[in-house]
Amino acid sequence: MSVANDEDIPQVERKTVTDFCYLLDKSKQLFNGLRDLPQYGQKQWQSYFGRTFDVYTKLWKFQQQHRQVLDNRYGLKRWQIGEIASKIGQLYYHYYLRTSETSYLNEAFSFYSAIRQRSYYSQVTKEDRPELVVKKLRYYARFIVVCLLLNKMDVVKDLVKELSDEIEDYTHRFNTEDQLEWNLVLQEVAAFIEADPVMVLNDDNTIVIISNRLAEGTGPLLEQGMVVGQLMLADALIIGNCNNQVKFSELTIDMFRMLQALEREPMNLTSQMNKPGLQDPSEKPTKRENPHKYLLYKPTFSQLYTFLAASFKELPANSALLIYLSATGVFPTGRSDYEGPYDFGGVLTNSNRDVVNGDAIHKRNQTYKEMHCLHPGDLYPFTRKPLFIIVDSSNSVAYKNFTNLFGQPLVCLLSPTAYPKAFQDHSQRGSLFTLFLNNPLMAFLFISGLSSMRKGLWEKCQDHLRKINRDIAQLLTHSRSIDQAFLQFFGDEFLRLLLTRFIFCSATLRMHKSFKETRNYPETYPSLPRDEMVENLHLQKQILELASILDVRNLFLETTMDEY
C-alpha cells in the first residue's frame, strides 16, 4: 500500500505510518527467517523466536492503537490485519511444535478464532487477486490443524464446511490449476475426523469429545512400597511412514494419537499468568513440562538419524529418550549364516528419487541389506542412554532381536505383526495397537464390535479401566522375575501409562476369541513374565468384568477362577 501523498498530512501521522511500515517489514523479514532455522536442536532457535515475538507484539499493539490513522493515511485493509493475526497464530503453533507445550495451542487458537469472529478475510473475495484467496484458504487449513490438536471437533466441522464453500467459490471464479489439491485437503480432513471407530453420545445424541492427553488422575499413581527408577521422559521421536494411512498436514492418525499420549491437557496461559493479550512464550507455565517431541512424517534415513542424534546429544541426565515407529515393515531378502542386528529387516524409511540407480543395483544382489530401512542395529549406538522404543509395524518383531550392549535401561514394545481378517480393513484409519496405547477403552469397544455408546456407560467403563491400571501397576512393581528395565522407566508418568496400557492390550488380545495366532499378540524386549503379567488370572478376571459391563463377555475366553 502506498502512503497517501498529501502535503497536509500532519508530521505525527506521517511518523505513525513510517513506524508501522518499519514494524511490518521487520516482522516479515524475521518471520521469513524462521524457515532458515535448523529444525533440530533445542537451543539455537529460541533467541530468534523471542525477537520475532517482540516485533509482532509491537506491531499488533501499534495497529490497535493507531487504527484510525492507518485506515485514513495508509489505507490499511482488514485482510492485512488478518494476515498479522494469522502470522501470530502460526508463531504460537510453531512454538508448540518446538517446545511441545500444549498451552501455546490455546494461544494460536485465540488468534485464529479472532480472525474468523471479526471477519478479517471477508473482503478478500471482492478483490480480484487469487493469491489473497489462497492466503485465506491456507489460514483455514492451519486453523483446522490447531483445532484437531485441541480436540475442538465441533469447530473443525464448521471450518471444513466454510473451507469447502470458499474452495468452490475460488475455483469457480479463477479457474485455477490447484483445485484438485484443495479438494484433497478436504478429503484428508474428512477422513481424519472419521478415523475414531467408536462414538460416545450424550443423551441428546450429540457426540462427546474425548481427550486422550494426560490429565490429573488419568494414570496409575505410584503407591507406597512401589520401588521404581527415577528416569524422566525428556525427548521423543514420533515417526510415521505407513502407506495409505489417513493423514492431514504431515500427521498420520497414528502419529496424532501417539503425540497426544505424550502430552498433558493444555492450560490457558493468559488465565494462568493473569496477563491479557499476546503472551511471551519465554514465560513458561509452572506445571511440569511435556517431553519434547520431533514429529517426522515419512523421513529419509538421513533425516531420521540426524534428528535422533540431536535428541541423543541434548538428552539431560537421568532422562529417557522415546522412539515411536509407525511404519511399513521391511523384511530380510535372503538367509544369512550369521543372524545379526541387520539380518531381520526393520521398518521403512523414505527413499529419495535420486538414489534410484542404487536401488536397482541393490535389488539385483540379495546379499546386500535394504538401504531404506531402519534396522535394529541402526539404533545400537543410541542405547548408550536410556531408550524406550515402540514399534507399530508388520515387522515389529525384528526389534525383538536386540542386544543390550551398554547396560542402560532399554525396553521395546512391539505391535502384533498381523491382525484377524475382521480387523484388517480398519488399518487405514490407524493401527489397533497404537489405539490401545492412546485410548484403550475405545480399542476394547472396537474389538468388541461396538461403534457407539452412551456417556454414562463410557464413564462407568473408564472407572473400571482405572482400577485395572492400578492392578497392573501393582503386578508390575511387585513381580520378582520382571526385568529391571521396566521398573527403571515406571517412575515417569507418561511411560507408566504406556506400560500399563500395553499390558492391558496384550492381556485383552490373548483372551479375545478372534485373536488366535501368536502373531496377533504384542511382544516386548526384554520379555515380560507371562504368568505374572499378560496371563495373570486376576487381570483376566478384571477384563472379563469389563466385557460383562458391555455385555460382550461371549467374545472372550473364560478362565478358571476357582481361587476367586
Side-chain angles (χ1 to χ4, degrees), residues 228-235 288 291 311-322 384-387 408-409 487-493 495:
V228 296
Q230 301 302 308
L231 290 171
M232 288 297 173
L233 179 61
D235 226 86
R288 201 197 130 201
S311 283
F312 179 83
K313 180 187 173 193
E314 296 191 346
L315 197 69
N318 302 316
S319 297
L321 169 62
L322 182 145
R384 288 175 169 84
K385 292 182 181 179
L387 196 58
Q408 290 293 313
L487 298 176
Q488 291 288 326
F489 291 116
F490 207 68
D492 179 85
E493 276 182 282
L495 299 180

PDB file of all heavy atoms in Angstrom, residues 228-235 288 291 311-322 384-387 408-409 487-493 495:
ATOM      1  N   VAL A 228      10.622 -47.932  42.119  1.00  0.00           N
ATOM      2  CA  VAL A 228      10.812 -47.701  40.673  1.00  0.00           C
ATOM      3  C   VAL A 228      11.978 -46.748  40.450  1.00  0.00           C
ATOM      4  O   VAL A 228      12.435 -46.076  41.375  1.00  0.00           O
ATOM      5  CB  VAL A 228       9.537 -47.106  40.022  1.00  0.00           C
ATOM      6  CG1 VAL A 228       8.382 -48.079  40.110  1.00  0.00           C
ATOM      7  CG2 VAL A 228       9.161 -45.769  40.649  1.00  0.00           C
ATOM      8  N   GLY A 229      12.429 -46.687  39.188  1.00  0.00           N
ATOM      9  CA  GLY A 229      13.532 -45.789  38.850  1.00  0.00           C
ATOM     10  C   GLY A 229      13.087 -44.331  38.797  1.00  0.00           C
ATOM     11  O   GLY A 229      11.898 -44.019  38.805  1.00  0.00           O
ATOM     12  N   GLN A 230      14.054 -43.448  38.722  1.00  0.00           N
ATOM     13  CA  GLN A 230      13.782 -42.003  38.728  1.00  0.00           C
ATOM     14  C   GLN A 230      13.901 -41.375  37.345  1.00  0.00           C
ATOM     15  O   GLN A 230      13.927 -40.154  37.200  1.00  0.00           O
ATOM     16  CB  GLN A 230      14.770 -41.299  39.674  1.00  0.00           C
ATOM     17  CG  GLN A 230      14.695 -41.790  41.106  1.00  0.00           C
ATOM     18  CD  GLN A 230      13.309 -41.616  41.707  1.00  0.00           C
ATOM     19  OE1 GLN A 230      12.741 -40.526  41.670  1.00  0.00           O
ATOM     20  NE2 GLN A 230      12.753 -42.701  42.238  1.00  0.00           N
ATOM     21  N   LEU A 231      13.997 -42.204  36.291  1.00  0.00           N
ATOM     22  CA  LEU A 231      14.147 -41.649  34.941  1.00  0.00           C
ATOM     23  C   LEU A 231      12.912 -40.857  34.530  1.00  0.00           C
ATOM     24  O   LEU A 231      11.786 -41.244  34.836  1.00  0.00           O
ATOM     25  CB  LEU A 231      14.360 -42.779  33.925  1.00  0.00           C
ATOM     26  CG  LEU A 231      15.695 -43.524  33.975  1.00  0.00           C
ATOM     27  CD1 LEU A 231      15.640 -44.741  33.066  1.00  0.00           C
ATOM     28  CD2 LEU A 231      16.842 -42.599  33.563  1.00  0.00           C
ATOM     29  N   MET A 232      13.125 -39.751  33.824  1.00  0.00           N
ATOM     30  CA  MET A 232      12.019 -38.960  33.293  1.00  0.00           C
ATOM     31  C   MET A 232      12.104 -38.948  31.767  1.00  0.00           C
ATOM     32  O   MET A 232      13.196 -38.806  31.204  1.00  0.00           O
ATOM     33  CB  MET A 232      12.097 -37.513  33.803  1.00  0.00           C
ATOM     34  CG  MET A 232      11.750 -37.370  35.271  1.00  0.00           C
ATOM     35  SD  MET A 232      10.046 -37.840  35.594  1.00  0.00           S
ATOM     36  CE  MET A 232       9.988 -37.792  37.371  1.00  0.00           C
ATOM     37  N   LEU A 233      10.958 -39.057  31.123  1.00  0.00           N
ATOM     38  CA  LEU A 233      10.928 -38.984  29.659  1.00  0.00           C
ATOM     39  C   LEU A 233      11.150 -37.532  29.241  1.00  0.00           C
ATOM     40  O   LEU A 233      10.331 -36.664  29.529  1.00  0.00           O
ATOM     41  CB  LEU A 233       9.578 -39.484  29.135  1.00  0.00           C
ATOM     42  CG  LEU A 233       9.399 -39.432  27.613  1.00  0.00           C
ATOM     43  CD1 LEU A 233      10.430 -40.295  26.905  1.00  0.00           C
ATOM     44  CD2 LEU A 233       7.989 -39.857  27.220  1.00  0.00           C
ATOM     45  N   ALA A 234      12.278 -37.268  28.572  1.00  0.00           N
ATOM     46  CA  ALA A 234      12.625 -35.898  28.202  1.00  0.00           C
ATOM     47  C   ALA A 234      12.424 -35.622  26.716  1.00  0.00           C
ATOM     48  O   ALA A 234      12.176 -34.483  26.319  1.00  0.00           O
ATOM     49  CB  ALA A 234      14.074 -35.595  28.584  1.00  0.00           C
ATOM     50  N   ASP A 235      12.548 -36.645  25.885  1.00  0.00           N
ATOM     51  CA  ASP A 235      12.525 -36.412  24.438  1.00  0.00           C
ATOM     52  C   ASP A 235      11.862 -37.590  23.730  1.00  0.00           C
ATOM     53  O   ASP A 235      11.985 -38.732  24.179  1.00  0.00           O
ATOM     54  CB  ASP A 235      13.959 -36.254  23.916  1.00  0.00           C
ATOM     55  CG  ASP A 235      14.072 -35.064  22.970  1.00  0.00           C
ATOM     56  OD1 ASP A 235      14.277 -33.950  23.466  1.00  0.00           O
ATOM     57  OD2 ASP A 235      13.930 -35.258  21.758  1.00  0.00           O
ATOM     58  N   ARG A 288       4.716 -29.087  35.328  1.00  0.00           N
ATOM     59  CA  ARG A 288       5.805 -29.849  34.709  1.00  0.00           C
ATOM     60  C   ARG A 288       5.621 -29.955  33.206  1.00  0.00           C
ATOM     61  O   ARG A 288       4.532 -30.155  32.708  1.00  0.00           O
ATOM     62  CB  ARG A 288       5.845 -31.259  35.320  1.00  0.00           C
ATOM     63  CG  ARG A 288       7.198 -31.901  35.112  1.00  0.00           C
ATOM     64  CD  ARG A 288       7.151 -33.384  35.320  1.00  0.00           C
ATOM     65  NE  ARG A 288       7.792 -34.010  34.165  1.00  0.00           N
ATOM     66  CZ  ARG A 288       7.601 -35.252  33.803  1.00  0.00           C
ATOM     67  NH1 ARG A 288       6.757 -36.004  34.443  1.00  0.00           N
ATOM     68  NH2 ARG A 288       8.227 -35.743  32.762  1.00  0.00           N
ATOM     69  N   PRO A 291       7.286 -33.937  27.584  1.00  0.00           N
ATOM     70  CA  PRO A 291       8.547 -34.283  26.908  1.00  0.00           C
ATOM     71  C   PRO A 291       8.618 -33.579  25.562  1.00  0.00           C
ATOM     72  O   PRO A 291       7.596 -33.394  24.899  1.00  0.00           O
ATOM     73  CB  PRO A 291       8.453 -35.803  26.734  1.00  0.00           C
ATOM     74  CG  PRO A 291       7.015 -36.153  26.941  1.00  0.00           C
ATOM     75  CD  PRO A 291       6.442 -35.102  27.830  1.00  0.00           C
ATOM     76  N   SER A 311      18.538 -35.438  19.394  1.00  0.00           N
ATOM     77  CA  SER A 311      17.843 -35.786  20.646  1.00  0.00           C
ATOM     78  C   SER A 311      18.797 -36.451  21.622  1.00  0.00           C
ATOM     79  O   SER A 311      18.816 -36.138  22.818  1.00  0.00           O
ATOM     80  CB  SER A 311      16.677 -36.743  20.363  1.00  0.00           C
ATOM     81  OG  SER A 311      15.587 -36.064  19.827  1.00  0.00           O
ATOM     82  N   PHE A 312      19.583 -37.377  21.115  1.00  0.00           N
ATOM     83  CA  PHE A 312      20.538 -38.117  21.938  1.00  0.00           C
ATOM     84  C   PHE A 312      21.544 -37.157  22.576  1.00  0.00           C
ATOM     85  O   PHE A 312      21.830 -37.229  23.773  1.00  0.00           O
ATOM     86  CB  PHE A 312      21.249 -39.150  21.065  1.00  0.00           C
ATOM     87  CG  PHE A 312      22.276 -39.972  21.793  1.00  0.00           C
ATOM     88  CD1 PHE A 312      21.899 -41.089  22.520  1.00  0.00           C
ATOM     89  CD2 PHE A 312      23.628 -39.637  21.734  1.00  0.00           C
ATOM     90  CE1 PHE A 312      22.847 -41.862  23.183  1.00  0.00           C
ATOM     91  CE2 PHE A 312      24.571 -40.401  22.397  1.00  0.00           C
ATOM     92  CZ  PHE A 312      24.184 -41.517  23.124  1.00  0.00           C
ATOM     93  N   LYS A 313      22.034 -36.233  21.759  1.00  0.00           N
ATOM     94  CA  LYS A 313      23.057 -35.286  22.232  1.00  0.00           C
ATOM     95  C   LYS A 313      22.530 -34.401  23.359  1.00  0.00           C
ATOM     96  O   LYS A 313      23.226 -34.113  24.330  1.00  0.00           O
ATOM     97  CB  LYS A 313      23.508 -34.407  21.063  1.00  0.00           C
ATOM     98  CG  LYS A 313      24.575 -33.383  21.428  1.00  0.00           C
ATOM     99  CD  LYS A 313      24.852 -32.444  20.275  1.00  0.00           C
ATOM    100  CE  LYS A 313      25.782 -31.316  20.701  1.00  0.00           C
ATOM    101  NZ  LYS A 313      25.821 -30.241  19.700  1.00  0.00           N
ATOM    102  N   GLU A 314      21.267 -33.964  23.236  1.00  0.00           N
ATOM    103  CA  GLU A 314      20.728 -32.984  24.179  1.00  0.00           C
ATOM    104  C   GLU A 314      19.955 -33.625  25.332  1.00  0.00           C
ATOM    105  O   GLU A 314      19.358 -32.927  26.133  1.00  0.00           O
ATOM    106  CB  GLU A 314      19.833 -31.987  23.435  1.00  0.00           C
ATOM    107  CG  GLU A 314      20.617 -31.167  22.418  1.00  0.00           C
ATOM    108  CD  GLU A 314      19.828 -30.004  21.847  1.00  0.00           C
ATOM    109  OE1 GLU A 314      18.597 -29.973  22.026  1.00  0.00           O
ATOM    110  OE2 GLU A 314      20.450 -29.123  21.230  1.00  0.00           O
ATOM    111  N   LEU A 315      19.953 -34.945  25.405  1.00  0.00           N
ATOM    112  CA  LEU A 315      19.202 -35.619  26.461  1.00  0.00           C
ATOM    113  C   LEU A 315      19.822 -35.314  27.828  1.00  0.00           C
ATOM    114  O   LEU A 315      20.997 -35.583  28.050  1.00  0.00           O
ATOM    115  CB  LEU A 315      19.195 -37.129  26.208  1.00  0.00           C
ATOM    116  CG  LEU A 315      18.134 -37.940  26.962  1.00  0.00           C
ATOM    117  CD1 LEU A 315      16.736 -37.614  26.419  1.00  0.00           C
ATOM    118  CD2 LEU A 315      18.409 -39.430  26.850  1.00  0.00           C
ATOM    119  N   PRO A 316      19.043 -34.748  28.760  1.00  0.00           N
ATOM    120  CA  PRO A 316      19.605 -34.422  30.085  1.00  0.00           C
ATOM    121  C   PRO A 316      19.935 -35.685  30.877  1.00  0.00           C
ATOM    122  O   PRO A 316      19.521 -36.790  30.528  1.00  0.00           O
ATOM    123  CB  PRO A 316      18.460 -33.647  30.769  1.00  0.00           C
ATOM    124  CG  PRO A 316      17.470 -33.328  29.692  1.00  0.00           C
ATOM    125  CD  PRO A 316      17.637 -34.365  28.640  1.00  0.00           C
ATOM    126  N   ALA A 317      20.654 -35.498  31.963  1.00  0.00           N
ATOM    127  CA  ALA A 317      20.987 -36.627  32.852  1.00  0.00           C
ATOM    128  C   ALA A 317      19.692 -37.182  33.461  1.00  0.00           C
ATOM    129  O   ALA A 317      18.706 -36.460  33.614  1.00  0.00           O
ATOM    130  CB  ALA A 317      21.924 -36.154  33.955  1.00  0.00           C
ATOM    131  N   ASN A 318      19.704 -38.470  33.792  1.00  0.00           N
ATOM    132  CA  ASN A 318      18.548 -39.145  34.412  1.00  0.00           C
ATOM    133  C   ASN A 318      17.280 -39.037  33.564  1.00  0.00           C
ATOM    134  O   ASN A 318      16.168 -38.932  34.087  1.00  0.00           O
ATOM    135  CB  ASN A 318      18.270 -38.596  35.820  1.00  0.00           C
ATOM    136  CG  ASN A 318      19.479 -38.749  36.728  1.00  0.00           C
ATOM    137  OD1 ASN A 318      20.109 -39.801  36.734  1.00  0.00           O
ATOM    138  ND2 ASN A 318      19.816 -37.696  37.447  1.00  0.00           N
ATOM    139  N   SER A 319      17.457 -39.001  32.255  1.00  0.00           N
ATOM    140  CA  SER A 319      16.314 -38.871  31.351  1.00  0.00           C
ATOM    141  C   SER A 319      16.304 -40.001  30.335  1.00  0.00           C
ATOM    142  O   SER A 319      17.325 -40.635  30.077  1.00  0.00           O
ATOM    143  CB  SER A 319      16.369 -37.529  30.607  1.00  0.00           C
ATOM    144  OG  SER A 319      16.273 -36.463  31.513  1.00  0.00           O
ATOM    145  N   ALA A 320      15.123 -40.210  29.761  1.00  0.00           N
ATOM    146  CA  ALA A 320      14.960 -41.263  28.755  1.00  0.00           C
ATOM    147  C   ALA A 320      14.540 -40.654  27.425  1.00  0.00           C
ATOM    148  O   ALA A 320      13.909 -39.594  27.379  1.00  0.00           O
ATOM    149  CB  ALA A 320      13.909 -42.265  29.224  1.00  0.00           C
ATOM    150  N   LEU A 321      14.893 -41.368  26.362  1.00  0.00           N
ATOM    151  CA  LEU A 321      14.501 -40.986  25.003  1.00  0.00           C
ATOM    152  C   LEU A 321      13.518 -42.034  24.493  1.00  0.00           C
ATOM    153  O   LEU A 321      13.759 -43.233  24.619  1.00  0.00           O
ATOM    154  CB  LEU A 321      15.750 -40.932  24.109  1.00  0.00           C
ATOM    155  CG  LEU A 321      15.560 -40.799  22.591  1.00  0.00           C
ATOM    156  CD1 LEU A 321      14.856 -39.493  22.238  1.00  0.00           C
ATOM    157  CD2 LEU A 321      16.911 -40.861  21.879  1.00  0.00           C
ATOM    158  N   LEU A 322      12.401 -41.578  23.929  1.00  0.00           N
ATOM    159  CA  LEU A 322      11.414 -42.498  23.358  1.00  0.00           C
ATOM    160  C   LEU A 322      11.445 -42.402  21.832  1.00  0.00           C
ATOM    161  O   LEU A 322      11.485 -41.303  21.277  1.00  0.00           O
ATOM    162  CB  LEU A 322      10.005 -42.158  23.867  1.00  0.00           C
ATOM    163  CG  LEU A 322       8.861 -43.064  23.394  1.00  0.00           C
ATOM    164  CD1 LEU A 322       7.809 -43.220  24.507  1.00  0.00           C
ATOM    165  CD2 LEU A 322       8.169 -42.540  22.135  1.00  0.00           C
ATOM    166  N   ARG A 384      23.341 -46.243  24.418  1.00  0.00           N
ATOM    167  CA  ARG A 384      24.266 -45.767  25.456  1.00  0.00           C
ATOM    168  C   ARG A 384      23.537 -44.937  26.506  1.00  0.00           C
ATOM    169  O   ARG A 384      24.093 -44.608  27.556  1.00  0.00           O
ATOM    170  CB  ARG A 384      25.381 -44.917  24.830  1.00  0.00           C
ATOM    171  CG  ARG A 384      26.400 -45.702  24.044  1.00  0.00           C
ATOM    172  CD  ARG A 384      27.375 -44.758  23.364  1.00  0.00           C
ATOM    173  NE  ARG A 384      28.521 -45.451  22.796  1.00  0.00           N
ATOM    174  CZ  ARG A 384      28.539 -46.032  21.602  1.00  0.00           C
ATOM    175  NH1 ARG A 384      27.441 -46.001  20.848  1.00  0.00           N
ATOM    176  NH2 ARG A 384      29.622 -46.639  21.163  1.00  0.00           N
ATOM    177  N   LYS A 385      22.302 -44.528  26.189  1.00  0.00           N
ATOM    178  CA  LYS A 385      21.464 -43.790  27.138  1.00  0.00           C
ATOM    179  C   LYS A 385      20.122 -44.525  27.237  1.00  0.00           C
ATOM    180  O   LYS A 385      19.783 -45.313  26.352  1.00  0.00           O
ATOM    181  CB  LYS A 385      21.252 -42.345  26.659  1.00  0.00           C
ATOM    182  CG  LYS A 385      22.528 -41.506  26.687  1.00  0.00           C
ATOM    183  CD  LYS A 385      22.264 -40.063  26.252  1.00  0.00           C
ATOM    184  CE  LYS A 385      23.557 -39.245  26.274  1.00  0.00           C
ATOM    185  NZ  LYS A 385      23.332 -37.835  25.835  1.00  0.00           N
ATOM    186  N   PRO A 386      19.352 -44.267  28.304  1.00  0.00           N
ATOM    187  CA  PRO A 386      18.075 -44.980  28.470  1.00  0.00           C
ATOM    188  C   PRO A 386      17.150 -44.786  27.261  1.00  0.00           C
ATOM    189  O   PRO A 386      16.884 -43.653  26.848  1.00  0.00           O
ATOM    190  CB  PRO A 386      17.472 -44.342  29.730  1.00  0.00           C
ATOM    191  CG  PRO A 386      18.669 -43.855  30.499  1.00  0.00           C
ATOM    192  CD  PRO A 386      19.648 -43.395  29.462  1.00  0.00           C
ATOM    193  N   LEU A 387      16.688 -45.890  26.689  1.00  0.00           N
ATOM    194  CA  LEU A 387      15.943 -45.847  25.427  1.00  0.00           C
ATOM    195  C   LEU A 387      14.661 -46.676  25.556  1.00  0.00           C
ATOM    196  O   LEU A 387      14.694 -47.836  25.968  1.00  0.00           O
ATOM    197  CB  LEU A 387      16.822 -46.407  24.306  1.00  0.00           C
ATOM    198  CG  LEU A 387      16.419 -46.136  22.855  1.00  0.00           C
ATOM    199  CD1 LEU A 387      16.325 -44.641  22.560  1.00  0.00           C
ATOM    200  CD2 LEU A 387      17.414 -46.786  21.896  1.00  0.00           C
ATOM    201  N   GLN A 408      22.442 -49.964  29.808  1.00  0.00           N
ATOM    202  CA  GLN A 408      21.488 -48.895  30.129  1.00  0.00           C
ATOM    203  C   GLN A 408      20.055 -49.435  29.998  1.00  0.00           C
ATOM    204  O   GLN A 408      19.814 -50.389  29.254  1.00  0.00           O
ATOM    205  CB  GLN A 408      21.675 -47.721  29.158  1.00  0.00           C
ATOM    206  CG  GLN A 408      22.964 -46.956  29.347  1.00  0.00           C
ATOM    207  CD  GLN A 408      22.994 -46.207  30.661  1.00  0.00           C
ATOM    208  OE1 GLN A 408      22.051 -45.521  31.041  1.00  0.00           O
ATOM    209  NE2 GLN A 408      24.100 -46.337  31.385  1.00  0.00           N
ATOM    210  N   PRO A 409      19.092 -48.829  30.709  1.00  0.00           N
ATOM    211  CA  PRO A 409      17.705 -49.296  30.582  1.00  0.00           C
ATOM    212  C   PRO A 409      17.248 -49.248  29.122  1.00  0.00           C
ATOM    213  O   PRO A 409      17.423 -48.244  28.439  1.00  0.00           O
ATOM    214  CB  PRO A 409      16.910 -48.298  31.434  1.00  0.00           C
ATOM    215  CG  PRO A 409      17.906 -47.779  32.423  1.00  0.00           C
ATOM    216  CD  PRO A 409      19.220 -47.739  31.698  1.00  0.00           C
ATOM    217  N   LEU A 487      11.034 -51.414  35.364  1.00  0.00           N
ATOM    218  CA  LEU A 487      10.875 -50.629  36.594  1.00  0.00           C
ATOM    219  C   LEU A 487      11.636 -49.308  36.513  1.00  0.00           C
ATOM    220  O   LEU A 487      11.218 -48.304  37.093  1.00  0.00           O
ATOM    221  CB  LEU A 487      11.342 -51.441  37.803  1.00  0.00           C
ATOM    222  CG  LEU A 487      10.549 -52.730  38.062  1.00  0.00           C
ATOM    223  CD1 LEU A 487      11.153 -53.513  39.220  1.00  0.00           C
ATOM    224  CD2 LEU A 487       9.086 -52.417  38.334  1.00  0.00           C
ATOM    225  N   GLN A 488      12.772 -49.305  35.797  1.00  0.00           N
ATOM    226  CA  GLN A 488      13.542 -48.072  35.622  1.00  0.00           C
ATOM    227  C   GLN A 488      12.701 -46.987  34.959  1.00  0.00           C
ATOM    228  O   GLN A 488      12.806 -45.805  35.274  1.00  0.00           O
ATOM    229  CB  GLN A 488      14.790 -48.333  34.769  1.00  0.00           C
ATOM    230  CG  GLN A 488      15.860 -49.172  35.424  1.00  0.00           C
ATOM    231  CD  GLN A 488      16.593 -48.421  36.518  1.00  0.00           C
ATOM    232  OE1 GLN A 488      16.796 -47.217  36.427  1.00  0.00           O
ATOM    233  NE2 GLN A 488      16.960 -49.132  37.574  1.00  0.00           N
ATOM    234  N   PHE A 489      11.855 -47.386  34.003  1.00  0.00           N
ATOM    235  CA  PHE A 489      11.032 -46.415  33.273  1.00  0.00           C
ATOM    236  C   PHE A 489       9.703 -46.116  33.967  1.00  0.00           C
ATOM    237  O   PHE A 489       9.015 -45.172  33.603  1.00  0.00           O
ATOM    238  CB  PHE A 489      10.733 -46.940  31.857  1.00  0.00           C
ATOM    239  CG  PHE A 489      11.925 -46.989  30.945  1.00  0.00           C
ATOM    240  CD1 PHE A 489      12.405 -48.195  30.454  1.00  0.00           C
ATOM    241  CD2 PHE A 489      12.576 -45.813  30.571  1.00  0.00           C
ATOM    242  CE1 PHE A 489      13.501 -48.240  29.607  1.00  0.00           C
ATOM    243  CE2 PHE A 489      13.682 -45.846  29.728  1.00  0.00           C
ATOM    244  CZ  PHE A 489      14.138 -47.061  29.246  1.00  0.00           C
ATOM    245  N   PHE A 490       9.342 -46.942  34.962  1.00  0.00           N
ATOM    246  CA  PHE A 490       7.991 -46.871  35.524  1.00  0.00           C
ATOM    247  C   PHE A 490       7.776 -45.636  36.403  1.00  0.00           C
ATOM    248  O   PHE A 490       6.641 -45.306  36.758  1.00  0.00           O
ATOM    249  CB  PHE A 490       7.699 -48.159  36.325  1.00  0.00           C
ATOM    250  CG  PHE A 490       6.243 -48.503  36.387  1.00  0.00           C
ATOM    251  CD1 PHE A 490       5.552 -48.901  35.255  1.00  0.00           C
ATOM    252  CD2 PHE A 490       5.546 -48.435  37.592  1.00  0.00           C
ATOM    253  CE1 PHE A 490       4.209 -49.220  35.306  1.00  0.00           C
ATOM    254  CE2 PHE A 490       4.201 -48.759  37.659  1.00  0.00           C
ATOM    255  CZ  PHE A 490       3.531 -49.152  36.510  1.00  0.00           C
ATOM    256  N   GLY A 491       8.857 -44.943  36.756  1.00  0.00           N
ATOM    257  CA  GLY A 491       8.714 -43.737  37.573  1.00  0.00           C
ATOM    258  C   GLY A 491       8.170 -42.548  36.804  1.00  0.00           C
ATOM    259  O   GLY A 491       7.666 -41.582  37.398  1.00  0.00           O
ATOM    260  N   ASP A 492       8.236 -42.588  35.472  1.00  0.00           N
ATOM    261  CA  ASP A 492       7.739 -41.477  34.657  1.00  0.00           C
ATOM    262  C   ASP A 492       6.252 -41.668  34.367  1.00  0.00           C
ATOM    263  O   ASP A 492       5.812 -42.762  33.979  1.00  0.00           O
ATOM    264  CB  ASP A 492       8.519 -41.419  33.341  1.00  0.00           C
ATOM    265  CG  ASP A 492       8.030 -40.283  32.443  1.00  0.00           C
ATOM    266  OD1 ASP A 492       8.514 -39.155  32.629  1.00  0.00           O
ATOM    267  OD2 ASP A 492       7.142 -40.528  31.596  1.00  0.00           O
ATOM    268  N   GLU A 493       5.465 -40.592  34.535  1.00  0.00           N
ATOM    269  CA  GLU A 493       4.005 -40.686  34.362  1.00  0.00           C
ATOM    270  C   GLU A 493       3.605 -41.195  32.977  1.00  0.00           C
ATOM    271  O   GLU A 493       2.724 -42.046  32.836  1.00  0.00           O
ATOM    272  CB  GLU A 493       3.375 -39.300  34.541  1.00  0.00           C
ATOM    273  CG  GLU A 493       3.101 -38.902  35.954  1.00  0.00           C
ATOM    274  CD  GLU A 493       2.431 -37.534  36.001  1.00  0.00           C
ATOM    275  OE1 GLU A 493       3.148 -36.527  35.840  1.00  0.00           O
ATOM    276  OE2 GLU A 493       1.211 -37.491  36.185  1.00  0.00           O
ATOM    277  N   LEU A 495       5.420 -42.844  30.633  1.00  0.00           N
ATOM    278  CA  LEU A 495       5.867 -44.212  30.343  1.00  0.00           C
ATOM    279  C   LEU A 495       5.107 -45.226  31.194  1.00  0.00           C
ATOM    280  O   LEU A 495       4.818 -46.335  30.742  1.00  0.00           O
ATOM    281  CB  LEU A 495       7.375 -44.332  30.571  1.00  0.00           C
ATOM    282  CG  LEU A 495       8.249 -43.435  29.686  1.00  0.00           C
ATOM    283  CD1 LEU A 495       9.723 -43.641  30.003  1.00  0.00           C
ATOM    284  CD2 LEU A 495       7.985 -43.689  28.205  1.00  0.00           C
TER     285      LEU A 495
END
